[in-house]
Amino acid sequence: MCCVGGVGSCSDTGKSGACGTMLEEETDQTYENVLAEIQSFELPIEATLRSVYDDQPNAHKKFMEKLDACIRNHDKEIEKMCNFHHQGFVDAITELLKVRTDAEKLKVQVTDTNRRFQDAGKEVIVHTEDIIRCRIQQRNITTVVEKLQLCLPVLEMYSKLKEQMSAKRYYSALKTMEQLENVYFPWVSQYRFCQLMIENLPKLREDIKEISMSDLKDFLESIRKHSDKIGETAMKQAQHQKTFSVSLQKQNKMKFGKNMYINHDRIPEERNETVLKHSLEEEDENEEEGDEETFENYYRKQRKKQARLVLQPQSNMHETVDGYRRYFTQIVGFFVVEDHILHVTQGLVTRAYTDELWNMALSKIIAVLRAHSSYCTDPDLVLELKNLIVIFADTLQGYGFPVNRLFDLLFEIRDQYNETLLKKWAGVFRDIFEEDNYSPIPIVNEEEYKIVISKFPFQDPDLEKQSFPKKFPMSQSVPHIYIQVKEFIYASLKFSESLHRSSTEIDDMLRKSTNLLLTRTLSSCLLNLIRKPHIGLTELVQIIINTTHLEQACKYLEDFITNITNISQETVHTTRLYGLSTFKDARHAAEGEIYTKLNQKIDEFVQLADYDWTMSEPDGRASGYLMDLINFLRSIFQVFTHLPTNNSDHAAMSGKVAQTACMSACQHLSTSLMQMLLDSELKQISMGAVQQFNLDVIQCELFASSEPVPGFQGDTLQLAFIDLRQLLDLFMVWDWSTYLADYGQPASKYLRVNPNTALTLLEKMKDTSKKNNIFAQFRKNDRDKQKLIETVVKQLRSLVNGMSQHT
C-alpha cells in the first residue's frame, strides 16, 4: 500500500523502476480480483466497485480498460462457443419455421380476445360510479374511526387500570392513573365518560392507600421470614465471585510472576438485583405512593424492631458453625433488603438512615462475635467462623456498607485462633514425645534414608559416605516435630488468607505465631518431657542431641515461610525465629536433669550403705554398695561417651555433658559420704569403721583416676574427694600436731580439713573409746595419749570458737 500512496512521489522524481513495477503489478492484481468478484455474483457489486474508486484518482479509467479487455475476452469466448454450437442454431431456426402456422392461429385468438375485452370495459365505467359513492362512505367511516381511536387508548388505559386493581398491582395502577391524568384525559376531556373517570380516580387512590398499608405489613412479615434465605443466596453469590477472583488472580500471578497481595480480592460493589427478583418483585411496588410520611415512619419503626430481633443471637451459637451461619445469613438478608428498598423506592429509606442502622447493627455484631468467639476452643471452628466473617463482610461491602471494623475484629480473633492452635499442637507434641523411643533412627537402605531426608532437612557428608546400615543421630521425634511445625504454619496461614493484608504483614504474622509455638508450646512440652520420671539418662542425652538438630532446622523453617509469602529474610523489620534460645534452654534443662537424676541414683545407692560404725577391724575390702555404685557410674559414663555421633559437634557436646555429669557425680558422692560421717544421728565411730570408710574412699579415688570420661586434665576429677582424703588421712595417721601447727597456712597438708568437721568426728571417736574401750591400749601403754585426745579436742574447740567469734 505504501507504493500506491507514493505513486506521485515516484513520478515526480523520475523514478519509474522497481516501485512503479510493483505498483502496476499490485493494481492489476487488484482489478483482476474485483472482476472475479463481479463475475462470481457472491458479493454485493456496489461494495466491490466502491473499493475500486476509493483506491486512487485514475482508478476509473484503468478499471474501464481492464473491463473492456475482459469483455473482449468474453466476446472471443462467446464467438468460440457460437461456432461450436452453430449447427444447433440452424436446427433451432428450422424448428421455428415449423411453428409459424401455430403463431398465426394464436394471433387470431388474441385479436378476438381484445375485441371482447373492449366490450366488457363499458360495464366497468358503470361500476366506477358506484365506487365513487363507496369512497365517500369510506371517508365518513374513517372520520368516525379517528374519533374512536382518540377515545380508545383512554378506554384501554382505564380498562388496564381496572385489571391492575383486580390483580392487586397497585404500584402499576398508580402509574396508570398518573398517565391518564397527565396524558390521556386532556385528549377526550369534552366527553362525559371522561368526567366520570376523573371523578372516580380519588376513590381508587384511597383504596390503594388502605390496601398498600395492609400489603406493607404483609411485606414486612414476608421479608422477616425470608431474610435468612435472601442472606444465604447473597453470601453464596459473594463467595462464588470471590472464588472466581482468587482463581483469576492466581492465574495472573503464574503468568506474570508478580509479588502481589495474597488473596487481595474484593467483591465488586455491584448490587445483585437477582437476589430479590423473585421474593420482592411485587411487594416493593406497594410502598412508594400514598401517605409518604405515614409509610416511612411505620416501615422504619417496624424494621428497627426486626433488626433488634435479627441481631439477638442464640445462646448456644458458639457451639457449631451452623449457629454462626444462621446468624450471618439473617443479618445479610436484612441489609440486602434495605439496600434494595433504598434503590428501588423513593424516600421510604435514605442512605443516612441505612448508614445509621448499619452502624448500630455493626457495634452489636462485633460485641456478639467477640463474646461468643471467646468460648471457641476448636481451631477448626474458629477458622470456619473467620471464613464466615470474611464472606459476611465481603457480601455487605459489595452492597456499599463499611466493614473495616469487622476486619479489625478478625485480628482479635486471629490471636484467639493462634491460642487454640497452640493448645492443639501442645497435644500433638506430647503425643510425638510419648511415641518416641529416644534412640537414633536406624536405616538399612537408600530408600529409608531418602524418606527421612524428605521429612527433615538433615545434611551430613560423613553420614552420606557411610555404608548401610547406619543411623541418624536424632530420634524419630525430630522429623515429626519439624513436620508438625510446618503444619502449624500452614494452619496459621489459613487464617491470614482473605484478610486483605499485604504479603509483608502476613509474613510477620506467620513468624510471630511460629515463635510462640517454639518459645512457649514446644519449649513447655520439652521441659515437661525432661522432668518426667520415666525419662532416663540416655533418653536425656538423646533429647539434647534432638534439640541441637531442631535448632539447626530453624533456618529451613524461615526459608519455608519465605517461600510461602515471597518476602525475603533480608527485608527490613522481618521477624526472626527464636529457635536458638528455645532449644538452648531445653538443652540446659536436660543437662541439669541429667545431673539431678544421676545424683538421685547415687543417693539411692548411698542409702543402701550398712556400716558397722563400732567395728574393731575393717573387712579388708570396699563396701558392696559402693562397688555397685562405681560399676553403675562406669556403665553410665561409658554410654555417654559411646553415643552414636556423626560429626565433631555431636561428639564434643556428648563429651561435655559426660564430663560435667562425671564431675557432678563425684562431687555429690564425696558430699554424701562426708554427710554420712557427720550425720547428727551417728553418735559413735570406731577406728575400724574409719579404716573401712577409708577403703571405700580409696575406691572412689581409683574410679576418679581411671578416667571414666575422657577429657579431664591431670587429677581434676580426684580433687572432688580431696576434702574426704585429707580428713581421713588426718585420722588414719593421727597427725594432729601437724594439723594444729599448720592450720591456716596456704601450704598446710590438711588445708581442706575444717576444724568443726574434725572436732565432730573426733568427738564421735572419743565417745566410742569410752564405751567400747577402743583406746584401751593407750591407757595400758601410755595414758598420756588419752590426754592428748582431750587436748586436741580442746584445741579444736578453741579454733571453732575463734572462727565463730571472727565471723
Side-chain angles (χ1 to χ4, degrees):
M1 294 302 294
C2 64
C3 291
V4 175
V7 171
S9 175
C10 292
S11 177
D12 291 342
T13 57
K15 295 180 181 180
S16 58
C19 181
T21 304
M22 292 175 62
L23 177 63
E24 291 177 0
E25 290 177 357
E26 183 176 358
T27 304
D28 293 343
Q29 184 63 38
T30 302
Y31 292 154
E32 290 177 1
N33 293 337
V34 171
L35 291 175
E37 292 176 359
I38 293 173
Q39 296 177 61
S40 66
F41 294 101
E42 294 181 357
L43 296 174
I45 297 179
E46 59 272 17
T48 305
L49 294 178
R50 189 180 299 110
S51 66
V52 173
Y53 290 106
D54 290 345
D55 191 9
Q56 50 185 316
N58 298 326
H60 174 70
K61 180 178 178 181
K62 295 181 180 180
F63 175 70
M64 292 304 297
E65 292 175 357
K66 280 288 182 179
L67 184 61
D68 291 340
C70 182
I71 292 173
R72 287 193 297 272
N73 290 335
H74 281 297
D75 289 342
K76 291 179 181 179
E77 293 178 359
I78 292 172
E79 184 177 357
K80 291 179 182 180
M81 187 175 294
C82 289
N83 293 334
F84 180 77
H85 295 286
H86 176 70
Q87 184 60 41
F89 175 75
V90 172
D91 294 339
I93 294 300
T94 304
E95 291 295 326
L96 288 174
L97 292 175
K98 291 181 180 180
V99 299
R100 177 183 295 178
T101 303
D102 294 334
E104 291 177 351
K105 291 180 180 180
L106 180 61
K107 179 180 179 182
V108 173
Q109 292 177 355
V110 170
T111 302
D112 182 62
T113 301
N114 181 57
R115 179 180 54 76
R116 287 189 282 108
F117 181 75
Q118 292 294 333
D119 293 339
K122 296 177 182 179
E123 296 181 2
V124 172
I125 295 174
V126 176
H127 292 302
T128 301
E129 295 177 355
D130 295 337
I131 291 174
I132 293 172
R133 289 193 295 272
C134 291
R135 289 289 175 83
I136 295 173
Q137 294 176 358
Q138 185 179 13
R139 185 170 60 252
N140 294 335
I141 293 172
T142 301
T143 302
V144 173
V145 169
E146 289 177 355
K147 297 297 182 180
L148 291 175
Q149 287 178 343
L150 187 62
C151 296
L152 187 60
V154 179
L155 297 173
E156 290 177 349
M157 288 297 292
Y158 195 80
S159 177
K160 180 180 178 182
L161 173 62
K162 291 294 186 180
E163 292 177 357
Q164 290 170 342
M165 292 291 292
S166 300
K168 297 182 180 181
R169 301 181 67 240
Y170 302 113
Y171 173 77
S172 299
L174 290 172
K175 292 297 183 182
T176 303
M177 289 183 190
E178 184 178 350
Q179 290 180 350
L180 285 170
E181 291 177 328
N182 297 330
V183 179
Y184 293 97
F185 283 167
W187 297 349
V188 294
S189 59
Q190 67 273 21
Y191 300 116
R192 185 171 179 273
F193 75 88
C194 180
Q195 296 299 323
L196 295 175
M197 292 179 181
I198 293 174
E199 294 173 357
N200 195 37
L201 289 184
K203 181 178 181 300
L204 292 177
R205 279 199 173 91
E206 188 64 26
D207 293 341
I208 289 175
K209 177 181 177 181
E210 295 177 358
I211 297 173
S212 296
M213 179 57 74
S214 176
D215 288 349
L216 176 59
K217 295 177 181 179
D218 295 339
F219 168 71
L220 290 171
E221 180 64 21
S222 176
I223 59 176
R224 185 189 66 81
K225 293 180 179 179
H226 296 90
S227 288
D228 55 343
K229 297 291 183 62
I230 296 170
E232 182 180 358
T233 304
M235 290 179 69
K236 285 182 179 179
Q237 292 184 352
Q239 188 174 12
H240 176 73
Q241 292 178 357
K242 178 184 180 67
T243 303
F244 177 77
S245 299
V246 171
S247 300
L248 184 62
Q249 186 182 32
K250 288 182 178 178
Q251 292 177 2
N252 291 335
K253 285 184 179 181
M254 293 176 63
K255 183 177 180 181
F256 301 107
K258 295 182 179 180
N259 180 19
M260 303 176 67
Y261 283 16
I262 295 180
N263 288 334
H264 185 66
D265 47 280
R266 298 274 181 156
I267 301 300
E269 294 188 2
E270 299 176 356
R271 296 171 180 85
N272 194 346
E273 298 295 337
T274 60
V275 175
L276 299 174
K277 181 176 180 181
H278 300 291
S279 61
L280 302 178
E281 187 176 31
E282 296 297 331
E283 290 92 333
D284 58 15
E285 298 177 353
N286 307 325
E287 302 162 10
E288 289 193 356
E289 298 296 337
D291 191 342
E292 182 176 356
E293 184 176 357
T294 302
F295 275 76
E296 290 178 4
N297 293 338
Y298 181 81
Y299 175 83
R300 296 182 184 183
K301 179 179 179 181
Q302 295 301 317
R303 288 295 279 169
K304 286 182 178 179
K305 289 182 179 179
Q306 292 183 1
R308 285 192 289 269
L309 292 175
V310 168
L311 295 173
Q312 186 65 34
Q314 296 181 355
S315 59
N316 61 343
M317 183 178 72
H318 61 275
E319 295 179 357
T320 62
V321 68
D322 291 335
Y324 287 108
R325 184 177 290 110
R326 285 193 298 269
Y327 182 69
F328 286 132
T329 55
Q330 289 177 356
I331 297 174
V332 170
F334 180 90
F335 283 99
V336 167
V337 170
E338 289 302 295
D339 182 77
H340 186 74
I341 296 299
L342 175 65
H343 290 88
V344 300
T345 62
Q346 296 178 357
L348 189 59
V349 296
T350 62
R351 174 56 65 184
Y353 163 79
T354 55
D355 290 344
E356 178 185 359
L357 190 62
W358 168 246
N359 290 331
M360 179 274 294
L362 186 58
S363 299
K364 177 67 174 178
I365 293 168
I366 291 176
V368 168
L369 293 178
R370 184 179 287 121
H372 281 263
S373 63
S374 63
Y375 297 110
C376 296
T377 58
D378 182 6
D380 295 333
L381 179 58
V382 178
L383 184 61
E384 289 287 347
L385 173 59
K386 168 258 175 181
N387 293 332
L388 284 175
I389 293 176
V390 170
I391 297 173
F392 172 75
D394 287 342
T395 302
L396 289 176
Q397 187 180 45
Y399 286 90
F401 296 100
V403 294
N404 291 336
R405 292 173 61 189
L406 285 174
F407 285 99
D408 294 338
L409 173 66
L410 283 174
F411 281 92
E412 298 179 23
I413 298 178
R414 181 201 63 190
D415 296 336
Q416 180 187 347
Y417 176 72
N418 286 337
E419 289 297 324
T420 58
L421 283 182
L422 292 175
K423 292 180 181 178
K424 178 179 179 180
W425 256 259
V428 172
F429 291 151
R430 284 193 297 268
D431 293 340
I432 291 175
F433 290 142
E434 288 293 333
E435 296 172 0
D436 194 8
N437 58 6
Y438 298 99
S439 299
I441 302 175
I443 46 176
V444 297
N445 52 45
E446 184 70 22
E447 183 179 357
E448 292 183 0
Y449 181 85
K450 291 181 178 180
I451 291 175
V452 177
I453 293 298
S454 65
K455 295 179 180 178
F456 183 76
F458 180 83
Q459 296 178 355
D460 188 350
D462 295 336
L463 181 63
E464 292 180 2
K465 295 176 183 178
Q466 294 179 14
S467 59
F468 294 100
K470 50 188 175 181
K471 294 181 179 181
F472 283 97
M474 64 278 187
S475 65
Q476 289 286 355
S477 63
V478 172
H480 292 329
I481 290 293
Y482 182 79
I483 292 173
Q484 286 303 319
V485 173
K486 292 172 66 175
E487 290 296 326
F488 176 88
I489 294 173
Y490 276 127
S492 183
L493 177 64
K494 288 180 181 179
F495 196 94
S496 301
E497 293 175 341
S498 305
L499 293 185
H500 312 309
R501 298 293 173 177
S502 66
S503 298
T504 303
E505 292 175 299
I506 293 178
D507 180 87
D508 188 62
M509 295 177 195
L510 291 180
R511 292 178 184 273
K512 288 181 178 179
S513 60
T514 306
N515 276 331
L516 284 176
L517 179 72
L518 295 177
T519 59
R520 201 171 80 185
T521 305
L522 182 55
S523 176
S524 176
C525 291
L526 281 171
L527 293 178
N528 292 334
L529 172 68
I530 290 168
R531 297 189 182 101
K532 286 188 175 181
H534 70 274
I535 297 297
L537 297 173
T538 55
E539 287 85 353
L540 288 171
V541 175
Q542 184 62 56
I543 290 174
I544 294 175
I545 296 175
N546 289 351
T547 55
T548 302
H549 288 285
L550 288 173
E551 177 184 333
Q552 295 171 354
C554 285
K555 63 179 181 180
Y556 297 100
L557 291 175
E558 289 190 340
D559 295 338
F560 177 70
I561 296 175
T562 298
N563 293 333
I564 292 177
T565 61
N566 293 327
I567 297 298
S568 174
Q569 298 182 28
E570 286 71 26
T571 304
V572 180
H573 305 308
T574 298
T575 305
R576 300 301 184 207
L577 296 184
Y578 302 143
L580 181 63
S581 60
T582 298
F583 298 117
K584 184 179 293 184
D585 294 342
R587 279 197 299 276
H588 291 165
E591 291 172 5
E593 194 67 19
I594 287 176
Y595 311 145
T596 301
K597 287 183 179 294
L598 192 57
N599 292 342
Q600 290 174 351
K601 198 67 176 178
I602 292 174
D603 292 339
E604 292 177 4
F605 278 98
V606 171
Q607 288 175 3
L608 299 177
D610 187 17
Y611 288 102
D612 181 4
W613 296 108
T614 61
M615 66 172 56
S616 58
E617 296 293 336
D619 294 339
R621 62 179 182 277
S623 302
Y625 85 93
L626 188 68
M627 298 306 298
D628 292 340
L629 172 58
I630 291 175
N631 292 333
F632 167 76
L633 292 177
R634 288 186 188 280
S635 63
I636 285 296
F637 296 135
Q638 186 177 11
V639 171
F640 282 7
T641 55
H642 290 83
L643 284 173
T645 57
N646 299 302
N647 55 49
S648 58
D649 293 337
H650 293 155
M653 179 185 64
S654 299
K656 179 182 177 182
V657 173
Q659 289 174 11
T660 307
C662 186
M663 176 59 74
S664 174
C666 290
Q667 291 175 345
H668 185 73
L669 177 58
S670 176
T671 302
S672 299
L673 292 175
M674 181 68 77
Q675 291 175 350
M676 190 183 299
L677 283 176
L678 304 178
D679 188 2
S680 60
E681 296 182 359
L682 178 60
K683 304 300 182 182
Q684 302 171 7
I685 300 179
S686 66
M687 180 56 71
V690 172
Q691 293 171 350
Q692 179 65 41
F693 200 83
N694 183 60
L695 292 175
D696 292 345
V697 174
I698 291 174
Q699 289 298 322
C700 293
E701 292 173 328
L702 291 174
F703 168 74
S705 62
S706 67
E707 197 175 10
V709 174
F712 286 107
Q713 296 181 356
D715 57 352
T716 302
L717 196 58
Q718 291 93 309
L719 292 177
F721 301 97
I722 189 64
D723 292 354
L724 273 174
R725 172 47 49 212
Q726 291 186 8
L727 177 63
L728 291 175
D729 285 348
L730 177 61
F731 279 85
M732 292 295 295
V733 299
W734 209 252
D735 194 8
W736 292 103
S737 59
T738 303
Y739 174 76
L740 294 172
D742 296 341
Y743 178 77
Q745 301 297 324
S748 173
K749 181 180 179 181
Y750 304 104
L751 181 64
R752 308 284 299 193
V753 178
N754 187 286
N756 197 8
T757 303
L759 177 61
T760 301
L761 184 57
L762 189 58
E763 287 180 339
K764 294 177 184 291
M765 296 182 69
K766 177 183 176 183
D767 294 339
T768 304
S769 66
K770 292 179 180 179
K771 295 182 179 180
N772 299 329
N773 209 19
I774 294 178
F775 292 100
Q777 56 180 335
F778 296 125
R779 292 196 296 271
K780 292 178 181 180
N781 299 329
D782 190 358
R783 294 181 180 276
D784 292 340
K785 290 185 179 182
Q786 179 64 31
K787 294 180 180 180
L788 175 62
I789 295 176
E790 294 177 355
T791 302
V792 172
V793 169
K794 290 179 182 180
Q795 291 178 343
L796 288 175
R797 286 176 179 171
S798 178
L799 282 175
V800 172
N801 292 332
M803 293 173 58
S804 301
Q805 292 176 1
H806 178 70
T807 303

